[in-house]
Amino acid sequence: AQSVAQPEDQVNVAEGNPLTVKCTYSVSGNPYLFWYVQYPNRGLQFLLKYITGDNLVKGSYGFEAEFNKSQTSFHLKKPSALVSDSALYFCAVSLHGSGNTGKLIFGQGTTLQVKP
Amino acid sequence: DGGITQSPKYLFRKEGQNVTLSCEQNLNHDAMYWYRQDPGQGLRLIYYSQIVNDFQKGDIAEGYSVSREKKESFPLTVTSAQKNPTAFYLCASSAPGQGSNEQFFGPGTRLTVL
């Protein structure tokens, strides 16, 4: 069965420090990978995605993520965290192929807390 | 929250009542989705629709129903058969692309059973 794991419920970093939010996946076949962010009582906002090509993907608000096929990981990173980055982050995966419905499988989410 | 609107923002339901959550999009997307969000559980797929007049059950469809009579609209009805409906409900849409296109989410409806 396909699944996505975000091993940390919460990540705490100091403002200005680099941040990493971890994601690993288990799928049969080649995945499409996504990161979304959610602020309190709001919908999800798309940050970035990996479809194919360069393993390092750059997205919105200075975030980037690295696709590692051998480790089946897609960790979200940012060189310098801001207090305003504090939010709930979701990793998600969908599958290639004709007839693909676009269904996303989400991880359980990681709360990022950036302290001044 | 892009071109997707959900209403109402907050909804209170008495036990035994059916309620309908609205989702409208002006993005001209073919595919639409309904998710349920509970604390610590991420998002779980309730129903999805890839085209007008067609929809499929997701992972937790029991106690819910949908319709897709128009491309722009994908309402969700939470029926009295849903035993624990208190949750945050999110609607999303995406362009066709065999899974490579990101989903755009509405602002959500928070449903509380009294």
Side-chain angles (χ1 to χ4, degrees), chain A residues 36 38 41 43 49 94 101-102, chain B residues 33 37 99-100 102-103 106 110:
Chain A
Y36 290 85
Q38 185 181 34
N41 295 310
K49 65 182 178 183
S94 70
T101 62
Chain B
Y33 310 83
Q37 184 177 17
S100 65
E102 60 270 26
Q103 293 184 14
R110 187 166 297 280

Side-chain angles (χ1 to χ4, degrees), chain A residues 97-115:
Chain A
S98 61
N100 186 293
T101 62
K103 289 170 57 178
L104 286 175
I105 302 166
F106 284 87
Q108 72 271 31
T110 298
T111 297
L112 174 65
Q113 189 74 36
V114 182
K115 297 187 177 179

Side-chain angles (χ1 to χ4, degrees), chain B residues 26-104:
Chain B
N26 61 4
L27 300 170
N28 200 33
H29 286 164
D30 286 314
M32 296 187 74
Y33 310 83
W34 272 106
Y35 295 92
R36 171 180 171 140
Q37 184 177 17
D38 296 283
Q41 294 194 46
L43 276 69
R44 293 182 289 169
L45 183 65
I46 305 172
Y47 269 97
Y48 63 101
S49 168
Q50 293 179 276
I51 198 167
V52 174
N53 292 322
D54 187 47
F55 50 82
Q56 287 80 38
K57 293 181 179 180
D59 301 319
I60 56 165
E62 185 176 354
Y64 301 97
S65 65
V66 294
S67 62
R68 187 82 187 279
E69 297 177 0
K70 298 187 299 181
K71 187 175 186 178
E72 307 78 30
S73 179
F74 191 41
L76 173 74
T77 297
V78 184
T79 75
S80 57
Q82 170 49 238
K83 298 305 179 187
N84 184 24
T86 295
F88 191 50
Y89 291 87
L90 289 162
C91 179
S93 71
S94 69
Q98 299 182 359
S100 65
N101 289 319
E102 60 270 26
Q103 293 184 14
F104 291 80

Side-chain angles (χ1 to χ4, degrees), chain A residues 22-50:
Chain A
K22 296 179 180 177
C23 172
T24 59
Y25 63 91
S26 175
V27 299
S28 53
N30 294 317
Y32 296 134
L33 294 155
F34 301 82
W35 275 102
Y36 290 85
V37 60
Q38 185 181 34
Y39 296 97
N41 295 310
R42 301 289 300 276
L44 275 65
Q45 297 177 30
F46 168 75
L47 280 179
L48 50 80
K49 65 182 178 183
Y50 173 81

